[in-house]
Amino acid sequence: MHIDCTINGNERMFEVSKSDLLLDVLRRNGYTGAKRGCDTGACGMCTVQIDGEPTMSCVTPVAKADGATVETIEGLGTQDDLHPVQQAFVDNSALQCGFCIPGMIMRSKALLEENPDPTEAEVREALSDNLCRCTGYKKIVEAVLDASDRLAEQAVAADGGRAATDRCCDCHCAGDRPTGADRRGETDR
Amino acid sequence: MEEIEREEPPGVDASEDVAASGDAADTEASADEANAEESPVEWDEPENNRKPRAERVNLTTDVEKDDARKIVTGEARYTADYSRRFPDLAHGTVVRSEIAHGYVTAIDTSDAEAIEGVYAVVTPRDDVVPDTLYSSSGQSYPEPSPWDMRVLRRHVRFVGDPIAAVAAETSEIADRAARAIDVEYEEREDVFDVEAALEPDAPRLFEDDEVENAQSGADYGRNLESHFEGEIGDVEAAFDRDDVRIHETELETPYQSHCVPEPHTTIAYTDEDGRYTFITATQVPNHTRRQLAHVFDVPIRDVRVEKPSVGAGFGAKQEMAIEPITFALHLAADRPVKLEMTRREEFYALRSRHPMDLTMRSAVTEDGTIVAMDLYARSNAGAYGTHGMTVASNVGTKALPLYPRVPNVRFEGDVVHTNLPMGAAMRGYGAPQGHFAVEAHLDEVARDLGVDPIEFKRNHAIRTGDLDDVSTILKDDDRFARRIRSCGLRECIDRGKDAIGWDEIEQPDEDHLHRGVGMAICAQGSGVAGRELGAAKLKMNEDGSFHLHVGGVDTGTGNDTMFSQVAAEVLGCGPDDIVVTSSDTDVTPFDYGSYASSTTYISGTAVKKAAEDTKERIRYWGSKLLEESESNLETEGGEVYSEATGASVSLEEIGYEATYGHDEREQIMGDGHHSTDESPPPFGAQFVDVTVDEETGEFELNELVYAADCGVAINPPLAEGQVEGGQHMSLEYATSGGLEFDDEGNPQTTGFRQYGMPRTTDHPPMETILVETHEPTGPFGAKSIGELPTNGIPPALSNAIRDAVGVRLTSLPITSEDVKAAIDRRGAENYSSN
């Protein structure tokens, strides 16, 4: 079957089988930022956003993405121009092996879109579906709180008529920045 | 970058902050003095190794982790992410034993082979599957683990033993084919209990011809992989003394899963030169190369192991767990093959922390002097002996050395096979089990004596200048007796005690709630004394930048960043000017790999030596260009400058001159390697604050504090991250985790939902304190930090609960039910004694 979706702002068409899971289709097509951690939706390492909702792509039938807007870590920022959430993870040393981090960032971004000024307890609650084995979570939670501040500052700057950067916090606008996977533009198999 | 204002670290003599007042301080001071006389701490330290904090420009600043941007953008490439490089990649699946013990008598693969898209099915009868016995341990050579496994097994010893494997066009097809394979078994009696396994009539797991390279004390007739014992002084005589009281504690520890974020994954292919290449998630590329060459009988030079980004190891990836099967599938399918474990396999079919039961005894005089300690550890190795003897021996050789003032010490261990999954290396490597036994036991002894547990431990604990011979208790000679040249243990205790508010704990208002605090001191090593080698080479580019090739392996801890900081500190450039390549056996020099808390200490020293070697050539060229004596020249800020005249030349000018010079040209390069008999322990103190509900046994952790002495912390945020992550693992070991099996050895814990790894909401507040000392044998004063923080929470929590409600928990994980049962027992005992 065909599915059509918008991935990181780019319209994509994939040939898939009905039983395919979103994670497999994403990874086959170069979106390898989403990681395979458990295949049971229990670790969060494959988290992406579908229509703004954080979603475990390893247990999500690809059909759910048909006609939807999918955001993956590849759509956020580049190494030279990080999204504020990414920048906060870097600046707070909130990463070690990094395998859980794309999922953590996608989950954190979804949280901050819904609740721009969360308490520490709210951050911990929101991230409780995402496991990390290396960090003890402390720096990750600090990074999310830091990201919240950064986004608030950015919003203030934008209100004042001067956009601090060319991106906003509810970042459905990254389509102008095709990622490596998007640039290749191939379809599935 | 903001410089943290802090006094210079005191010299070694003063680094032992003693209590500020009273007789205790005098006693400690004089003990230190006497100690210093008997045990000199001098060390022939290179002049450039000891720099005041303000001058360690590249070490103490918060250098960004070099792969941080790749990680947060999803561009870091782990093994599975390389799949797209191979258009004809086959996907592998392993067929695993469904019984705990027996022989495979027939395998029918015809249905599987007939499925479209199946490229190969391999079983032990295939030529490409060697019959060689080997150890998967990823250790030095000859391995201190028995050679007791084959790539695929006819004699299966646990549910999960690999029997056959499939390579197919997709992983779905491979899985379907695997299910179509029909296996017939001749079942044997199984044994899951360690005590039962040692009985003379127990089912035997290994016949004599099924093991090579057996370890000391092995007795396979009794399922004993190893037995060892060692003694210092005369423990029996001390226990027989009239003036001592004997204390005994029996303890039990469970399996713990590594829960590596990235499941074990390997891609095997043959390159255009006919060489076998492995992109693999490993901590030990060089050991894997050697062991693969051994198993498949090919020259070492024809095997290449490349380590991409690794989604953490924690010892799980010190094992060559899946590379041999991937190799066999690759040979059979004649195309690149990827084998990626499922999470289910990670839990039941790979490796875990060894469960153990332990008995700790001590003899203590009325005035509170410990005259003897005796620790017995019985380890459940599971079905194979990988890391069996060495992990069990570390139970005693990490925790017992905390108390070198105890004159009589004995340690004994048995490593026993059962039909359960195999234990292997895991962060802490036996030390968590040992610390649980020693630190919970001595806490109980102190309480029995009616003395403060902290003071009791402090009085006996190790200090700078000690000659730690307890760490050599299992060795024939004292070559490896460690001279303790840096020990911030007392500062760790004091600062941790303040941070947790030890003296100001307030009890909750409700009568049934009780709050308590517990403490455990910790030690580890820095590499394996006398059994390590790290090497590095550095070459200079014409623009003044450098390429560092290092065998040391970064599995996510930040070692590559640390390497660049160490090299930059020597070369006087920025860490950004150094491109790090680690680790590819074709390209990078040899290194034993990332285990035993060795990377900063061993590989980091190799990097420092390589940088110094390079710097010599830079000085030579600086001397040519500046027309000054080399001895006047120093490097800093990307320049070589003359201390005499102030004249300078940039590294870039030197790079161009050396490369394109008119009369002379040179590729500026340096190399360094490091091996040593030293293994200085890092020290730490773990504090736990807990509130226990006496009615229900439920308990809540209010706070965790860990104070750690890792010498000079290179990149403090990364060091803190190690402590925080170590506490996470230690918290799990203390309160959740563990693997369950049914009566037939079938795993009941096969996913994160059953396993109970702590999530963000399960973590109490955590504080990390880095206590800086200077280890003269380490690079710029550094020791290790990776494993140390996994050792503390089980005993500290047991001690805190004891403090709160007066019961002693000796079995992990500690659950509310256990606490409730202990409280009920205590009530019954009190009742009966009245």
Side-chain angles (χ1 to χ4, degrees):
Chain A
M1 62 181 273
H2 292 292
I3 66 154
D4 293 294
C5 59
T6 305
I7 299 190
N8 303 331
N10 296 327
E11 286 180 19
R12 299 290 305 265
M13 190 266 285
F14 300 118
E15 180 69 26
V16 299
S17 78
K18 255 188 185 164
S19 59
D20 273 345
L21 295 161
L22 178 58
L23 176 64
D24 297 315
V25 175
L26 286 174
R27 291 187 55 84
R28 278 207 296 265
N29 287 282
Y31 300 96
T32 53
K35 301 301 179 196
R36 183 188 308 283
C38 71
D39 281 326
T40 57
C43 76
M45 294 174 198
C46 62
T47 306
V48 299
Q49 282 177 276
I50 299 181
D51 292 333
E53 281 296 307
T55 305
M56 311 270 203
S57 62
C58 76
V59 288
T60 303
V62 70
K64 277 217 173 165
D66 197 16
T69 298
V70 178
E71 287 175 73
T72 73
I73 192 77
E74 285 87 354
L76 239 57
T78 64
Q79 292 192 38
D80 296 332
D81 183 16
L82 296 174
H83 183 278
V85 178
Q86 293 172 316
Q87 189 69 54
F89 271 70
V90 171
D91 292 346
N92 287 276
S93 298
L95 42 86
Q96 285 181 31
C97 85
F99 204 75
C100 70
I101 295 299
M104 281 283 180
I105 289 176
M106 295 312 289
R107 175 80 58 181
S108 305
K109 176 174 167 285
L111 163 71
L112 295 173
E113 282 163 3
E114 198 184 303
N115 178 3
D117 188 21
T119 63
E120 183 184 332
E122 286 168 339
V123 171
R124 286 188 177 270
E125 188 58 43
L127 297 188
S128 64
D129 283 340
N130 288 54
L131 292 172
C132 169
R133 191 49 156 173
C134 303
T135 63
Y137 304 114
K138 186 175 182 226
K139 292 188 192 306
I140 288 178
V141 172
E142 286 165 359
V144 177
L145 293 168
D146 183 20
S148 157
D149 292 344
R150 288 164 192 255
L151 289 162
E153 275 171 33
Q154 208 175 73
V156 169
D159 285 348
R162 281 182 304 115
T165 76
D166 60 351
R167 45 182 82 248
C168 59
C169 83
D170 56 346
C171 207
H172 298 271
C173 57
D176 57 340
R177 196 188 305 277
T179 65
D182 283 319
R183 275 194 298 271
R184 284 190 285 277
E186 67 278 79
T187 53
D188 184 25
R189 279 192 281 185
Chain B
M1 205 67 65
E2 202 179 340
E3 186 65 26
I4 306 157
E5 202 167 309
R6 192 171 176 273
E7 282 180 10
E8 272 310 303
V12 270
D13 288 335
S15 70
E16 286 290 356
D17 279 354
V18 291
S21 64
D23 295 344
D26 293 343
T27 316
E28 260 190 64
S30 56
D32 264 348
E33 241 166 64
N35 221 33
E37 245 172 61
E38 280 171 35
S39 323
V41 296
E42 293 92 30
W43 171 256
D44 190 14
E45 185 174 13
E47 209 175 289
N48 68 0
N49 201 50
R50 186 184 280 266
K51 284 186 171 185
R53 177 178 279 259
E55 287 177 24
R56 289 181 231 135
V57 186
N58 288 305
L59 301 181
T60 48
T61 50
D62 303 354
V63 171
E64 184 179 299
K65 193 162 176 281
D66 72 337
D67 54 354
R69 283 162 195 273
K70 285 194 297 190
I71 286 171
V72 299
T73 53
E75 287 168 24
R77 291 272 175 273
Y78 304 82
T79 299
D81 303 334
Y82 284 84
S83 302
R84 285 166 56 85
R85 256 197 205 172
F86 305 97
D88 56 345
L89 184 71
H91 301 258
T93 294
V94 180
V95 178
R96 297 183 178 280
S97 170
E98 293 174 337
I99 64 166
H101 193 198
Y103 289 85
V104 174
T105 51
I107 307 181
D108 183 353
T109 58
S110 51
D111 287 351
E113 280 162 358
I115 293 173
E116 195 185 333
V118 171
Y119 300 134
V121 179
V122 293
T123 71
R125 65 179 176 234
D126 289 296
D127 290 344
V128 295
V129 180
D131 211 25
T132 313
L133 285 166
Y134 71 98
S135 165
S136 64
S137 62
Q139 291 172 295
S140 55
Y141 180 83
E143 290 94 352
S145 288
W147 295 356
D148 59 3
M149 63 175 70
R150 293 183 163 92
V151 176
L152 296 170
R153 292 145 210 179
R154 289 188 172 95
H155 183 175
V156 291
R157 299 181 176 89
F158 74 105
V159 176
D161 235 353
I163 294 171
V166 180
E169 188 182 342
T170 67
S171 51
E172 293 75 19
I173 297 172
D175 289 346
R176 188 145 43 90
R179 284 194 296 274
I181 292 174
D182 195 23
V183 181
E184 281 176 35
Y185 304 96
E186 179 190 313
E187 289 207 45
R188 289 291 162 96
E189 198 190 339
D190 45 36
V191 60
F192 306 120
D193 178 77
V194 269
E195 207 167 328
L198 286 169
E199 293 296 323
D201 57 348
R204 185 175 173 171
L205 268 72
F206 289 91
E207 299 302 327
D208 291 335
D209 62 355
E210 290 181 311
V211 182
E212 291 172 11
N213 191 40
Q215 298 305 302
S216 60
D219 179 357
Y220 285 93
R222 298 177 58 220
N223 294 312
L224 195 59
E225 187 231 304
S226 172
H227 170 86
F228 52 78
E229 54 189 78
E231 184 166 11
I232 284 162
D234 186 343
V235 168
E236 269 322 303
F239 274 89
D240 284 343
R241 274 166 55 163
D242 293 336
D243 62 337
V244 299
R245 185 159 168 186
I246 295 167
H247 302 258
E248 181 168 330
T249 312
E250 288 185 8
L251 309 100
E252 250 185 76
T253 66
Y255 274 109
Q256 184 178 22
S257 175
H258 302 83
C259 298
V260 276
E262 175 204 22
H264 286 73
T265 308
T266 299
I267 294 175
Y269 65 100
T270 302
D271 75 6
E272 56 275 25
D273 296 320
R275 300 176 63 254
Y276 305 116
T277 306
F278 298 82
I279 301 173
T280 187
T282 182
Q283 297 169 238
V284 285
N286 287 289
H287 291 327
T288 297
R289 177 178 67 159
R290 186 194 75 242
Q291 291 180 332
L292 281 171
H294 162 71
V295 175
F296 286 84
D297 195 22
V298 295
I300 282 180
R301 64 172 167 269
D302 286 344
V303 179
R304 176 180 191 177
V305 177
E306 285 182 74
K307 177 212 73 80
S309 290
V310 172
F314 309 122
K317 292 169 184 168
Q318 186 182 348
E319 287 277 314
M320 184 179 69
I322 64 165
E323 287 88 345
I325 301 176
T326 321
F327 197 178
L329 282 175
H330 164 58
L331 294 174
D334 196 23
R335 64 179 67 217
V337 172
K338 180 189 75 167
L339 188 56
E340 184 178 4
M341 292 295 98
T342 64
R343 182 58 56 185
R344 194 180 157 81
E345 285 174 300
E346 289 288 334
F347 275 110
Y348 86 97
L350 292 169
R351 314 288 191 269
S352 303
R353 192 188 297 288
H354 294 91
M356 292 191 194
D357 50 68
L358 308 118
T359 305
M360 175 72 192
R361 298 195 307 150
S362 60
V364 185
T365 61
E366 235 171 77
D367 69 356
T369 304
I370 309 171
V371 295
M373 296 193 296
D374 179 14
L375 175 61
Y376 170 72
R378 186 168 53 190
S379 173
N380 185 348
Y384 296 92
T386 177
H387 295 272
M389 181 270 284
T390 39
V391 164
S393 61
N394 274 264
V395 170
T397 56
K398 292 291 184 284
L400 293 171
L402 280 164
Y403 302 99
R405 249 155 289 285
V406 179
N408 306 291
V409 183
R410 185 168 62 200
F411 173 49
E412 183 180 348
D414 284 313
V415 184
V416 185
H417 284 300
T418 64
N419 295 112
L420 287 173
M422 67 196 99
M426 182 168 179
R427 189 177 187 180
Y429 206 79
Q433 291 96 324
H435 280 77
F436 182 44
V438 174
E439 288 301 288
H441 171 83
L442 291 184
D443 186 271
E444 195 58 42
V445 171
R447 288 171 195 277
D448 191 68
L449 288 164
V451 300
D452 178 64
I454 291 189
E455 288 312 311
F456 179 64
K457 287 181 180 175
R458 180 203 283 277
N459 288 342
H460 289 90
I462 198 163
R463 65 180 84 225
T464 307
D466 281 339
L467 185 66
D468 159 28
D469 53 1
V470 183
S471 64
T472 68
I473 194 165
L474 298 175
K475 296 188 192 300
D476 295 334
D477 62 63
D478 62 358
R479 181 162 70 104
F480 298 119
R482 294 183 294 199
R483 175 70 69 205
I484 303 301
R485 298 186 178 87
S486 61
C487 177
L489 188 52
R490 284 164 179 77
E491 190 181 337
C492 290
I493 294 172
D494 292 342
R495 290 177 64 186
K497 199 173 157 181
D498 282 351
I500 202 101
W502 186 273
D503 295 322
E504 299 113 45
I505 292 290
E506 287 181 11
Q507 290 302 322
D509 293 334
E510 298 91 329
D511 285 346
H512 60 104
L513 297 182
H514 301 276
R515 197 166 158 205
V517 279
M519 191 277 294
I521 54 175
C522 308
Q524 198 78 29
S526 299
V528 187
R531 300 247 29 112
E532 290 272 9
L533 169 64
K537 61 183 181 183
L538 196 62
K539 66 186 172 72
M540 188 180 192
N541 300 311
E542 56 264 53
D543 66 352
S545 65
F546 299 88
H547 277 268
L548 172 64
H549 287 181
V550 56
V553 177
D554 190 338
T555 54
T557 57
N559 288 319
D560 288 354
T561 315
M562 175 274 295
F563 292 143
S564 72
Q565 290 178 261
V566 167
E569 189 67 31
V570 173
L571 294 165
C573 61
D576 286 356
D577 297 323
I578 294 163
V579 180
V580 182
T581 300
S582 110
S583 162
D584 171 345
T585 56
D586 264 19
V587 176
T588 56
F590 198 93
D591 192 288
Y592 273 40
S594 172
Y595 60 84
S597 292
S598 69
T599 312
T600 296
Y601 186 72
I602 302 287
S603 314
T605 304
V607 168
K608 183 165 182 274
K609 288 178 175 178
E612 281 158 0
D613 197 34
T614 310
K615 186 172 161 178
E616 284 312 301
R617 297 314 300 159
I618 291 172
R619 266 210 270 240
Y620 167 79
W621 283 89
S623 156
K624 264 175 76 105
L625 289 171
L626 291 172
E627 296 178 350
E628 293 228 28
S629 154
E630 280 177 53
S631 57
N632 287 343
L633 300 181
E634 239 333 306
T635 55
E636 200 178 298
E639 291 186 331
V640 175
Y641 68 95
S642 159
E643 288 178 323
T645 65
S648 69
V649 54
S650 71
L651 291 178
E652 184 172 5
E653 287 170 89
I654 287 178
Y656 271 98
E657 184 61 25
T659 311
Y660 301 110
H662 183 68
D663 58 339
E664 189 185 359
R665 284 162 298 281
E666 173 184 352
Q667 162 70 71
I668 294 181
M669 256 191 311
D671 58 53
H673 56 88
H674 190 61
S675 68
T676 175
D677 288 347
E678 300 283 333
S679 175
F683 296 101
Q686 173 80 61
F687 290 81
V688 171
D689 174 352
V690 73
T691 301
V692 186
D693 186 329
E694 201 167 16
E695 288 172 2
T696 63
E698 283 167 12
F699 60 92
E700 192 179 331
L701 275 67
N702 305 312
E703 194 183 1
L704 302 172
V705 172
Y706 199 100
D709 153 27
C710 61
V712 165
I714 297 174
N715 203 324
L718 293 182
E720 280 169 19
Q722 291 299 299
V723 176
E724 288 155 11
Q727 282 189 91
H728 158 84
M729 211 170 255
S730 192
L731 173 68
E732 172 189 291
Y733 196 42
T735 62
S736 56
L739 304 180
E740 301 286 335
F741 302 90
D742 72 8
D743 292 346
E744 293 173 331
N746 294 303
Q748 306 297 297
T749 313
T750 54
F752 282 127
R753 288 191 205 286
Q754 299 106 339
Y755 182 71
M757 173 174 151
R759 293 175 181 271
T760 40
T761 41
D762 301 320
H763 268 253
M766 274 196 292
E767 183 176 342
T768 299
I769 300 165
L770 297 178
V771 168
E772 186 167 302
T773 58
H774 183 92
E775 171 54 44
T777 68
F780 294 111
K783 296 187 277 191
S784 69
I785 189 66
E787 295 180 282
L788 176 75
T790 51
N791 298 340
I793 296 182
L797 176 61
S798 176
N799 299 345
I801 291 172
R802 172 70 171 80
D803 188 48
V805 289
V807 296
R808 170 64 60 189
L809 278 298
T810 53
S811 178
L812 301 181
I814 296 171
T815 65
S816 302
E817 292 75 36
D818 299 333
V819 177
K820 179 73 167 66
I823 289 170
D824 291 346
R825 267 201 310 277
R826 177 198 65 179
E829 280 158 17
N830 286 350
Y831 182 76
S832 63
S833 66
N834 286 338

